[in-house]
């Protein structure tokens, strides 16, 4: 049974060779099942485990000890748990409510971080890569996603659009600045080269 289509020539040839060798002893049928994806927002309780394969985390050796905002930046299990519980990326991820959320703390124990051998191999070819693979086990099935670059990388297909950059700025600035200052600051930043000085921009970025 193959989840998804056999695409690579190596696997197609290998399957054909096995079928040939076993034909004397049994009837072999290769079944290619269509891939299935989890719903956009699966319930955390439906997820049995999450295996993350990427680079080694050396900045924070104990990935499960998240006690402050510094720890939060370097914990893969914490970030995965926040995403599973639909915390909006941004300041909310470092808020005390998130840091002390019992549900987040419990979900973190479902997450295991692995060092992916592919990471170093891909970095040798392109230092901009940040290979990662996530395997989610839910409802007795395993769902896999992988990427060579993180979202927002300066690479075709991964760059943030102008609207996405604006949205990120609004999310991060909203905990400090009023809406009118945020929007004025965005306008000034987009035309920074036309400003005679930074005085007005700095005024918009402070209360």
């Amino acid at each position: 049974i193959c989840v998804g289509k056999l695409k690579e020539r190596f696997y197609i040839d290998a399957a054909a060779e096995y079928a040939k060798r076993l034909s004397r002893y049994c009837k072999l049928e290769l079944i290619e099942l269509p891939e299935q994806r989890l719903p956009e927002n699966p319930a955390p309780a439906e997820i049995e485990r999450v295996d993350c394969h990427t680079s080694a985390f050396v900045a924070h050796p104990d990935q499960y000890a998240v006690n402050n905002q510094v720890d939060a930046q370097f914990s893969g299990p914490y970030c995965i748990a926040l995403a599973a519980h639909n915390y909006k990326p941004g300041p909310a991820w470092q808020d005390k409510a998130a840091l002390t959320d019992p549900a987040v703390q419990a979900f973190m124990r479902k997450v295991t971080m692995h060092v992916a051998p592919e990471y170093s191999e891909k970095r040798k070819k392109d230092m901009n890569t940040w290979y990662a693979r996530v395997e989610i086990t839910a409802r007795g099935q395993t769902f896999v996603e992988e990427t060579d670059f993180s979202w927002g990388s300066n690479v075709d297909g991964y760059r943030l659009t102008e609207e996405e950059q604006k949205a990120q700025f609004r999310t991060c600035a909203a905990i400090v600045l009023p809406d009118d200052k945020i929007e004025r600051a965005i306008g000034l930043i987009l035309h920074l080269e036309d400003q005679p000085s930074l005085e007005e921009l700095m005024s918009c970025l402070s209360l």
Side-chain angles (χ1 to χ4, degrees):
I1 298 177
C2 173
V3 179
K5 299 287 290 183
L6 272 181
K7 299 177 182 178
E8 294 85 354
R9 174 52 57 185
F10 170 81
Y11 290 118
I12 294 173
D13 293 343
E17 182 62 26
Y18 273 114
K20 178 182 177 182
R21 295 184 183 185
L22 294 172
S23 62
R24 294 175 57 188
Y25 310 101
C26 66
K27 181 181 179 181
L28 178 66
E29 180 183 3
L30 177 63
I31 301 174
E32 296 174 302
L33 299 177
E35 294 181 89
Q36 298 185 38
R37 294 181 179 271
L38 282 172
E40 286 297 319
N41 296 300
E46 294 181 293
I47 300 175
E48 301 165 30
R49 61 176 292 137
V50 180
D51 289 278
C52 301
H53 305 258
T54 184
S55 66
F57 277 75
V58 295
H60 186 34
D62 188 351
Q63 292 282 289
Y64 303 96
V66 177
N67 302 306
N68 52 55
Q69 286 81 1
V70 176
D71 294 340
Q73 297 179 65
F74 302 106
S75 170
Y78 177 70
C79 294
I80 295 294
L82 290 174
H85 284 83
N86 294 319
Y87 274 81
K88 184 177 181 180
W93 282 35
Q94 296 189 5
D95 188 81
K96 186 176 181 180
L99 291 169
T100 59
D101 188 337
V104 170
Q105 296 290 332
F107 193 94
M108 286 172 63
R109 294 296 169 179
K110 296 183 179 183
V111 182
T112 303
M113 303 300 295
H114 307 271
V115 177
E118 300 96 327
Y119 179 85
S120 59
E121 292 303 313
K122 289 178 180 289
R123 292 279 283 189
K124 291 177 183 177
K125 299 177 182 178
D126 185 347
M127 286 299 294
N128 293 316
T129 60
W130 196 280
Y131 176 79
R133 183 175 75 258
V134 177
E135 301 168 357
I136 299 175
T137 301
R139 307 189 197 107
Q141 302 179 70
T142 300
F143 304 83
V144 182
E145 287 288 347
E146 65 179 351
T147 182
D148 285 343
F149 300 94
S150 58
W151 180 59
S153 296
N154 188 25
V155 178
D156 289 344
Y158 295 89
R159 295 185 183 92
L160 297 180
T161 65
E162 185 175 294
E163 288 307 312
E164 288 171 334
Q165 293 179 57
K166 290 179 182 178
Q168 281 198 346
F169 181 81
R170 292 186 180 105
T171 298
C172 294
I175 63 172
V176 177
L177 301 175
D179 290 345
D180 60 327
K181 284 201 168 189
I182 292 174
E183 296 306 317
R184 181 55 182 158
I186 290 175
L188 292 170
I189 292 170
L190 290 176
H191 300 90
L192 193 60
E193 66 279 5
D194 299 325
Q195 307 309 314
S197 73
L198 297 179
E199 184 177 352
E200 184 178 1
L201 175 58
M202 296 308 296
S203 175
C204 290
L205 296 177
S206 59
L207 291 176

